[in-house]
Amino acid sequence: MTSRMLIAGIGNVFHCDDGFGVEVVSRMYTRDLPPEVVVADYGIRGVHLAYALLDGGYEFTVFVDAVRRGGEPGTLYVLDADPTADTGGAEHDGEGPVLDAHGMHPAAVLALLRRLGGAPGRVFVVGCEPLTVAEGMGLSAPVAAAVDEATRQVRVLVSDMLERDSTDVSRNPR
């Protein structure tokens, strides 16, 4: 069976809560997941992630990252990210550079992927509101407390997407 879903941990472990995605996927490695699911720590290697999406042919991708949305630190978000949506900002409009090895957030990865001629399939972001992304090691207490629940939410998302996809295929054989 081929890999159909990628769970990608994103973040810089040297910037406190920015290491959230990396911590979540490190816990996912020890969990039983279906063989069609690939779990990978991309850290700050957004360019590598874009190429993995370009070459992988994944139907579903889950980015796990620290996400600022104005909530309380430790708040979890599950976002259905439309890969064709505006990536927010002139720096990702197809004209300017998208390469910043230390700032490849999910929107920048998707923008680079599009510039390379790829399409990611369906994309989700499981994000956590950070307390701080200042230089330093280790997650803050509220973000560390959210890691187990984020891991659970990723597993539920994986199950839901694979089940929904198999149901859609059985109703509409190709």
Side-chain angles (χ1 to χ4, degrees), residues 133-149:
V133 292
E135 287 185 17
M137 295 289 294
L139 302 176
S140 67
V143 172
V147 170
D148 285 338
E149 177 59 20

Side-chain angles (χ1 to χ4, degrees), residues 3-172:
S3 299
R4 295 177 29 208
M5 179 178 271
L6 174 64
I7 301 169
I10 301 171
N12 187 337
V13 297
F14 298 111
H15 286 181
C16 296
D17 291 342
D18 197 40
F20 170 77
V22 173
E23 180 62 28
V24 170
V25 297
S26 75
R27 295 194 191 180
M28 298 297 297
Y29 289 131
T30 61
R31 308 276 196 238
D32 290 329
L33 290 168
E36 59 267 42
V37 177
V38 173
V39 178
D41 170 3
Y42 282 93
I44 60 170
R45 298 176 303 124
V47 174
H48 290 97
L49 175 52
Y51 277 103
L53 291 169
L54 184 65
D55 296 336
Y58 297 105
E59 295 172 46
F60 309 103
T61 301
V62 179
F63 293 137
V64 185
D65 197 9
V67 177
R68 289 195 187 274
R69 296 183 55 89
E72 290 294 318
T75 301
L76 292 174
Y77 309 103
V78 177
L79 308 169
D80 188 346
D82 179 356
T84 62
D86 179 20
T87 56
E91 68 192 70
H92 306 300
D93 66 2
E95 299 297 321
V98 296
L99 300 178
D100 175 0
H102 298 283
M104 290 296 282
H105 52 81
V109 170
L110 294 175
L112 176 58
L113 178 62
R114 283 195 304 274
R115 289 182 71 184
L116 295 170
R122 190 143 181 217
V123 178
F124 298 89
V125 177
V126 174
C128 183
E129 187 75 40
L131 176 66
T132 180
V133 292
E135 287 185 17
M137 295 289 294
L139 302 176
S140 67
V143 172
V147 170
D148 285 338
E149 177 59 20
T151 302
R152 189 192 71 73
Q153 287 185 15
V154 170
R155 289 181 61 77
V156 168
L157 190 57
V158 167
S159 295
D160 287 352
M161 286 301 96
L162 293 177
E163 182 179 312
R164 183 175 299 154
D165 188 54
S166 66
T167 301
D168 290 346
V169 169
S170 65
R171 286 185 190 156
N172 301 307

